[in-house]
Amino acid sequence: MALQRMDNVLIVVDDLEAAKSFFVELGMELEGQATVEGQTVDLVVGLENVRSEIAMLRTPDGHGRIELDKFHTPAAISAEPENEPVNTLGIRRIMFAVDDIEEVLARLRTHGAELVGEIVQYEDTYRLCYIRGPEGILIALAEQLG
């Protein structure tokens, strides 16, 4: 049996509304939001007495999804220092293709986004930047040139 697709990326957050607003402003579409709890949830995630609120967002093309998860019980824990640098081991960022990098960055700044380095041009193919959003979430933006 072959791999079919990557379904979604999970991001655990403390402020679900701020994270959801940030990704909606980026251009993602809210698919749905629900509270999940019970034995099935406990068994699949390996925790007890789980109660969390999830929001599923998808990219406009329908192929990529992000699941935002706010744990009510047990409480979320921080495993890393806040605003870890991009060379920290583990999953660090998610990259999104955009039409106009400055316009997207300006919109996301109204939701607390900060430019990590600079907007740079890679050869004649892309303009790129890293930004940090709510709760230190690191994303990259890529604008294809030409």
Side-chain angles (χ1 to χ4, degrees):
M1 180 174 256
L3 178 70
Q4 293 180 1
R5 69 180 179 274
M6 185 186 84
D7 193 65
N8 69 66
V9 173
L10 170 67
I11 302 173
V12 177
V13 298
D14 190 46
D15 187 341
L16 182 62
E17 290 305 313
K20 189 171 62 174
S21 294
F22 176 82
F23 284 106
V24 166
E25 187 65 47
L26 176 61
M28 297 191 79
E29 301 165 10
L30 181 64
E31 265 188 352
Q33 188 166 331
T35 300
V36 296
E37 58 189 328
Q39 183 180 17
T40 303
V41 176
D42 291 357
L43 291 172
V44 76
V45 301
L47 297 171
E48 293 181 4
N49 301 313
V50 172
R51 187 174 149 276
S52 69
E53 181 102 9
I54 62 170
M56 189 67 74
L57 298 112
R58 71 172 175 269
T59 56
D61 67 2
H63 296 293
R65 287 180 177 74
I66 289 179
E67 178 182 329
L68 300 173
D69 198 336
K70 160 68 174 159
F71 278 84
H72 297 287
T73 60
I77 58 171
S78 178
E80 301 166 343
E82 191 172 327
N83 296 332
E84 67 278 349
V86 73
N87 65 339
T88 303
L89 294 174
I91 297 173
R92 285 302 120 223
R93 62 108 175 111
I94 304 168
M95 182 175 279
F96 294 94
V98 298
D99 292 329
D100 182 338
I101 206 165
E102 277 94 359
E103 187 267 334
V104 172
L105 180 57
R107 287 194 345 256
L108 293 178
R109 280 187 165 143
T110 67
H111 292 268
E114 297 175 357
L115 191 59
V116 172
E118 299 178 17
I119 298 173
V120 298
Q121 183 167 325
Y122 177 74
E123 298 179 349
D124 292 331
T125 54
Y126 286 99
R127 296 185 68 227
L128 306 162
C129 72
Y130 277 29
I131 62 174
R132 213 174 276 288
E135 300 187 45
I137 296 169
L138 189 62
I139 68 169
L141 302 177
E143 176 186 340
Q144 190 167 5
L145 301 173

